Amino acid sequence: MSNPPTAAPFGPLQHGDALENLSYEDSKFAPSAEFARNAVVGAEVYAEADADRPAFWARQARELLTWSRDFTQTLDWSDPPFAKWFVGGEINAAYNALDRHVENGLGDRTAIFFEGEPGDTRTYTYAQLTEEVKKAANAFESLGLAKGDRVAVYLPMIPEAVITLLACARIGAVHSVVFGGFSADALRSRIEDAEARLVVTADGTWRRGKPSALKPAVDEALSGGGHTVENVVVVRRNGQEVDWHQGRDHWWADTVGAASNQHTAVGHDAEHPLFILYTSGTTGRPKGILHTTGGYLTQTAFTHQAVFDLHPDTDVYWCTADIGWVTGHSYVAYAPLINAATQVMYEGTPDSPHQGRWWEIIEKYKVSIFYTAPTAIRTFMKWGRDIPDRYDLSSLRVLGSVGESINPEAWMWYRDVIGDNVGKNGEKKDNPAPIVDTWWQTETGAQMIAPLPGVTATKPGSAQVPLPGIAVDVVDEAGESVPDGHGGFLVIREPWPAMLRGIWGDPERFKDTYWSRFQTMYFAGDGAKKDEDGDIWLLGRVDDVMNISGHRLSTTEIESALVSHPAVAEAAVVGAADETTGQAVVAFVILRCDATDTGDAIVQELRTHVGKEIGPIAKPKTILVVPELPKTRSGKIMRRLLKDVAEGREAGDATTLADNTIMQTITDSLKIRK
Ligand code: PRX
């Protein structure tokens, strides 16, 4: 981009032929009779929710949660799109995740089995975790933090991350987690937008056997002033030297460690803000997605129980998501603890110190419910089945997928190699573990489309059915529901409990982004198709959002980063299909006339520059230096054509280009470079 984007946020569907390519199209896997018999949730929930959606959610809210004051109205939708759920109710998220389980005699149950990358381990029972959260709540309050204040969290996957989130929730402070892989610049803009008063971080973490620093990014983010941060609490994790700002910085061990373990949780309004989580949209500026308390807890708890068939007294659950993403919020920090589950938390990468690390963890802790992303599954496929075959995976009984569509080949591999594998002696199970492909978003807060493992006959590659109480549809350009066998845009017709309540500080942007395309319906930004049975297949984003390894990145955000480099005149970024990561970032750049270096060195420098501006995950896989970019007469870059080039196809229809020789110029220039 050269100017602020003028592009309309949605384009035509580009993945319309996905269904035709399936080789497992007719496969269906019904739950075994035994699984169905023992399932926590049966088919009757659909009918119940259809009959009276708010009443269904009210029942879940009252059964799954303990309210300090009951609500008087389930849903107030009098001022759409601003919903209020469980009006008049008061609830404390941390009390629900912790104290009440201890009061109910579950204090000795393991809440978290933590496995550090170097192999260190820690176990927290519910009683111990409750105590830690109370201490953290006291420590944060002693630093002057009060209800409604914002806390930026920049932590690795260590128990202190969960403790911090719950301590914030306990005192009504609003956490804003920034993924540890984001740069100091990205951290700064999020701290400033949320006006955080406290930052919680660590000296660093471990990555592939080496210490990796976090604190320097915080120091850099806070270096220029212009922010409202008063205190920084630092967890000692990898023992690296850190710069210390006297008066501002406090070691976790000194503040939290010394705090009292007595703390009484009070109820907060059901609509009290619980957290802000920044996510990429169609413009360069990330959006602070706002979630509130009662509805979010209700839907995360219900879906976690129903979709994973959670039996909290016997299951061991492991979600591999980082706390920096919404999955790590809803399905690591909140729902498993609300549901009194035992969960595994792992700090590191799947290949450290060897490629069987995850399977080793599953064997060690006898994980029964496993939730991960298609990009990980495809990586394991590449590494080969002989690696998981070395481990005992017989404990697995439900497998989840999230973040992007899981291609049918990966789905079948997941089922055969992970879900149907007793391991070691090559035996098959009597009944392979069902796979639940879960579609949802940062904005939806909780799972929205997914099979129920004891009810649904699953299909490889499809998320299939809206969950009970969720009104999802696929509509055409005019907002009309498409018939079975047709594709269109994914929308949500009715408000749902865990829905975002807005974009932090920007109600207009909330309306424009999600509620202007189809007025009364929420527009998710995804293309989808209903098959002949009415099951839903997700077909990818229809806007300028990319999905790289299940992480959401905006084309415009990376373009902004590129043009902020002095050598770049213009940039256009596309997500090109990639076998492992789903999509990969491919950037087309026009260099300034005075740029002296036009070869490999500038390409390397630009990749580093994007890493610094946004974070390593945003670094383009490929940067192509081109003489021109294809634009319409109104100046909009036609990314569709660039995507064709990036994916090695003949460029498609270029008739709306201002100059239709440009695609030829671009392809010629790339040929010359090769
Ligand atoms: O395009 C969809 C894709 O991820 C987007 C949401 O990204 P994010 O807010 O980062 O949340 C990811 C984790 C919930 C969606 O708009 N997506 C997520 N899950 C699936 C999916 N696409 C297809 N199938 C899924 N199961």
Side-chain angles (χ1 to χ4, degrees), residues 13 474 482 486-490 526-530 536-540:
L13 286 180
V474 182
V482 301
H486 288 77
F489 303 100
L490 191 77
D526 279 37
K529 192 155 180 166
K530 292 181 194 165
I536 296 173
W537 297 71
L538 277 306
L539 303 174

Side-chain angles (χ1 to χ4, degrees), residues 327 403-405 437-442 526 538 541 547 552:
T327 312
E404 60 177 306
S405 292
D437 175 11
T438 62
W439 178 90
W440 59 295
Q441 309 176 296
T442 307
D526 279 37
L538 277 306
R541 300 288 306 194
N547 192 327
R552 212 165 129 173

Side-chain angles (χ1 to χ4, degrees), residues 180-252:
F182 279 130
S183 67
D185 286 349
L187 177 62
R188 177 189 295 120
S189 65
R190 286 158 175 79
I191 287 174
E192 284 177 5
D193 188 73
E195 296 176 289
R197 290 186 65 192
L198 172 70
V199 179
V200 184
T201 188
D203 49 1
T205 181
W206 293 94
R207 270 287 169 278
R208 300 203 165 84
K210 294 200 193 86
S212 153
L214 282 169
K215 173 85 168 28
V218 175
D219 292 336
E220 194 186 332
L222 300 181
S223 62
H227 58 78
T228 44
V229 173
E230 294 150 9
N231 293 289
V232 178
V233 173
V234 189
V235 179
R236 196 174 248 322
R237 171 62 190 145
N238 66 10
Q240 278 187 305
E241 281 290 310
V242 288
D243 285 345
W244 204 251
H245 294 246
Q246 217 57 44
R248 186 198 75 182
D249 295 352
H250 316 268
W251 286 112
W252 176 282

Side-chain angles (χ1 to χ4, degrees), residues 63 70 77 81 89 130 252 284 345 416 419 439 459 515 530 541:
E63 285 181 8
D70 193 15
W77 190 233
T130 306
W252 176 282
M345 185 177 193
D416 286 342
W439 178 90
K459 291 181 186 175
W515 304 92
K530 292 181 194 165
R541 300 288 306 194

